[in-house]
Amino acid sequence: MSPISPRKCLSRGLACLALLLAGPLQAAGPAGNVLRIGNGAEPQTLDPHKTETVDGSRIVRDLCEGLTTVSPTGQTVPGAAERWEISPDGLEYIFFLRPTARWSNGDPVVAEDFVAGLRRAADPKTGSSYAQMLEPLINGPEVVTGKKPPDALGVEAVDDHTLLLRLRGPTPYLLGMLSHTTTFPIHRPSLKKFGDQFARPGNMVCNGAYLLDQWVVQSHVRIKRNRYYWNNARTSIDTVVFYSTEDVNSELKAYRAGDLDWATGYPAVLTPWIRQNLKGELKMAPYLGISYFGYNVTRPPFRDNIKLRQALSLAIDRDVIVDKVLYTLSIPAYGWIPPGTEGVTPQTPEWAKWPQAQRLALARKLYAEAGYSEDNPAEVEIRYNTSENNKRMAVVVAAMWKQWLGVKSTLANEEWKVFLNTRKLKKKTQVFRSAWIGDYNDATTFLDIMHSTHGQNDTGWGNPRYDALLAQASAETDAGRRRAMLEEAERILLSELPYIPLTFYVSKNLVKPWVKQWQDNILDYHYSKDMRIEGH
């Protein structure tokens, strides 16, 4: 019998893929105290203030630590700060740093390191896509937009171990936000010496549980235990290797062979097989994230054409996608904010409750009103980053548009870094694959990225009323009024629809039995320092 490739199997169906993967289910354990992770795409950067992908941030969270961090169960807990005090009006936070906190070269971690990090992240010269996250600080909006210098930001080192943050208004999600990479400190001597190359092996000085040892492009990033870390005595795993694996078929094969201890991706089509054969190793849980297609509304055919945008969204049967494409690994999405998000009741359009036939009737009506017909079909390009799962989604959506509306779709795929740059430039994109994972559990982590000036808003959409509501909510002290403002903002987003909601995520990981102390949480944050390798 001739060998069967994963690519051929994908065209032949689940039974063929199950045959390919059949074999002994018990693979040999890893050699040594090493955690090996299939980490998806090659990271763009390990600069904590510039990383913007799940894959890169997973590495940076092992290397660096913010004032707060996230427990294995997803709770906000003390990080580099051992405690904090909040003023009665909620406008001042005082953080007390751990006296034992050290950088990986032995230097003490001091308050000025956090001041420098926050100012750098807010400085438009840095180019952080998450700079707007710091707008709750005094002068935050002015610093982020370049109207005031970074040293005007509402952050102050009272002394070496005391940091003061001054806020424009009460910010109930602040403590959770401070576990995000954008808020991490910077080792000032390294930045001064190496500039933008400071986050490279041999240059990077870290304050987290690990330090950067090696980075082989398109292969792996290796990190090693930071012996100066304040809680090193409770760290068990000595070395972590993050493998770049854009091909989820290859990642699953490596995991099955025992070459990976933790796989963050696998072909959705194999979910039934995995549930049957790797049941104890499949970790699934509610996840704070949305998968969507963005419209580029700065150019035809979607500029000033809300009806076409609505028609394409209505013509997608999300139940079919969830059941047949993703094998129930997601939840149908009709709004923007995922269920379980704190601070609001997620909004949904009226048609979300309709049967599919009624949705399609409206889709065809809007499509015609937008100027398209069987004789004059819309021609749309769907662009996505290279991945078998992403391709399957694009193919299915294109087929639905063709069947129900007559849309002519073409598909274009790009390597991850190129794809992100193409999206930002907005010169070629029409419809593009995207996703957003919450950085903290509050509605603003989703609503903010659709602000007209946000670095992650690759749609080019903007609405003055929407922006104003977010600004008002950021200064609102009454929880009820804040909730109403945020819910109105989501309704505006749903009415103008610069994106197509597809599915809300559930986290899905494959974890070997010898990886202990793994716990599911809504943020899907799993720090290597909290786990251990045992019984191999």
Side-chain angles (χ1 to χ4, degrees), residues 45-105:
T45 177
L46 297 180
D47 182 333
H49 303 138
K50 293 184 178 181
T51 185
E52 56 183 272
T53 64
V54 172
D55 317 291
S57 297
R58 185 179 290 117
I59 302 173
V60 172
R61 285 195 298 270
D62 270 356
L63 295 171
C64 310
E65 185 171 74
L67 293 164
T68 65
T69 188
V70 177
S71 74
T73 57
Q75 305 303 309
T76 299
V77 296
E82 61 182 356
R83 61 185 179 91
W84 49 80
E85 295 176 357
I86 306 172
S87 64
D89 60 7
L91 298 181
E92 291 190 352
Y93 284 64
I94 300 176
F95 293 89
F96 301 93
L97 304 189
R98 299 179 186 276
T100 55
R102 293 286 184 274
W103 292 97
S104 55
N105 68 345

Side-chain angles (χ1 to χ4, degrees), residues 211-531:
L211 55 86
L212 181 59
D213 180 58
Q214 187 181 62
W215 185 353
V216 179
V217 175
Q218 295 300 335
S219 175
H220 66 273
V221 172
R222 185 173 69 201
I223 64 177
K224 291 191 173 181
R225 191 164 166 178
N226 173 15
R227 304 291 175 176
Y228 286 105
Y229 179 58
W230 66 268
N231 205 20
N232 179 57
R234 298 194 64 179
T235 301
S236 174
I237 294 172
D238 293 324
T239 303
V240 186
V241 185
F242 298 85
Y243 290 95
S244 299
T245 53
E246 291 192 26
D247 181 357
V248 289
N249 294 291
S250 298
E251 182 168 342
L252 180 58
K253 287 180 68 177
Y255 178 84
R256 292 276 293 110
D259 296 329
L260 293 176
D261 309 306
W262 168 11
T264 60
Y266 58 83
V269 68
L270 278 178
T271 300
W273 185 91
I274 289 171
R275 281 179 167 148
Q276 179 178 354
N277 294 280
L278 302 175
K279 183 177 181 181
E281 299 173 35
L282 177 59
K283 312 295 183 181
M284 294 178 59
Y287 190 22
L288 211 60
I290 182 174
S291 169
Y292 65 99
F293 281 172
Y295 292 120
N296 181 351
V297 301
T298 69
R299 59 189 296 262
F302 300 111
R303 183 177 62 198
D304 302 323
N305 199 337
I306 293 177
K307 289 184 177 180
L308 177 59
R309 304 198 302 251
Q310 292 173 328
L312 295 185
S313 184
L314 280 158
I316 296 173
D317 190 331
R318 291 156 178 83
D319 290 326
V320 168
I321 288 176
V322 168
D323 292 339
K324 305 301 183 183
V325 180
L326 300 177
Y327 297 89
T328 67
L329 290 177
S330 294
I331 303 168
Y334 301 97
W336 180 241
I337 299 174
T341 305
E342 295 181 357
V344 296
T345 298
Q347 305 295 292
T348 55
E350 180 183 357
W351 57 263
K353 302 175 183 177
W354 296 357
Q356 188 64 13
Q358 186 177 356
R359 296 177 192 171
L360 290 174
L362 179 57
R364 294 185 183 110
K365 177 177 181 292
L366 292 169
Y367 185 69
E369 292 176 356
Y372 297 98
S373 63
E374 182 178 350
D375 296 329
N376 179 38
E379 297 183 6
V380 176
E381 179 199 78
I382 304 175
R383 188 172 292 261
Y384 61 94
N385 57 294
T386 304
S387 160
E388 199 62 48
N389 289 345
N390 293 342
K391 180 180 179 180
R392 283 169 52 80
M393 179 73 80
V395 167
V396 169
V397 169
M400 290 178 177
W401 287 346
K402 176 65 175 177
Q403 179 179 1
W404 304 119
L405 299 176
V407 174
K408 293 183 178 179
S409 299
T410 56
L411 307 186
N413 69 292
E414 292 177 321
E415 184 268 336
W416 181 232
K417 291 183 181 180
V418 177
F419 172 70
L420 288 179
N421 188 56
T422 300
R423 276 174 36 178
K424 289 185 183 299
L425 292 175
K426 304 180 184 69
K427 293 181 179 179
K428 294 193 295 185
T429 52
Q430 291 184 341
V431 174
F432 56 89
R433 177 262 167 190
S434 194
W436 185 253
I437 308 302
D439 297 312
Y440 46 87
N441 194 356
D442 186 84
T444 55
T445 192
F446 291 95
L447 295 172
D448 282 354
I449 70 165
M450 283 298 181
H451 189 283
S452 60
T453 63
H454 197 283
Q456 292 286 343
N457 184 357
D458 293 334
T459 68
W461 177 77
N463 179 296
R465 174 59 180 163
Y466 182 90
D467 291 354
L469 283 166
L470 296 187
Q472 293 167 20
S474 69
E476 180 55 62
T477 59
D478 182 87
R481 287 196 292 267
R482 179 178 185 268
R483 173 185 289 268
M485 292 171 184
L486 297 179
E487 290 175 356
E488 182 183 347
E490 186 179 13
R491 287 193 292 273
I492 292 173
L493 191 60
L494 296 182
S495 68
E496 298 200 7
L497 215 63
Y499 75 107
I500 304 173
L502 294 172
T503 64
F504 292 127
Y505 281 150
V506 295
S507 62
K508 43 193 179 293
N509 298 275
L510 285 169
V511 184
K512 290 293 186 183
W514 52 73
V515 178
K516 305 298 183 181
Q517 297 178 187
W518 171 284
Q519 294 192 56
D520 294 318
N521 61 73
I522 197 168
L523 290 170
D524 200 30
Y525 280 12
H526 308 281
Y527 297 83
S528 299
K529 67 180 177 63
D530 294 329
M531 293 179 272

Side-chain angles (χ1 to χ4, degrees), residues 28-49:
N33 193 9
V34 179
L35 178 64
R36 301 158 305 166
I37 304 172
N39 197 47
E42 172 78 14
Q44 291 176 288
T45 177
L46 297 180
D47 182 333
H49 303 138

Side-chain angles (χ1 to χ4, degrees), residues 141-203:
E142 293 81 6
V143 173
V144 167
T145 56
K147 296 176 182 177
K148 288 187 178 182
D151 59 11
L153 194 67
V155 54
E156 175 188 344
V158 178
D159 57 41
D160 278 355
H161 294 102
T162 310
L163 181 74
L164 172 62
L165 300 187
R166 293 190 176 94
L167 307 181
R168 299 164 51 234
T171 308
Y173 57 88
L174 181 74
L175 292 175
M177 187 189 82
L178 291 174
S179 66
H180 191 267
T181 61
T182 304
T183 70
F184 285 179
I186 196 80
H187 186 254
R188 291 167 290 150
S190 297
L191 179 63
K192 182 177 181 180
K193 181 177 181 180
F194 299 110
D196 284 344
Q197 296 300 305
F198 83 93
R200 304 293 303 180
N203 300 349

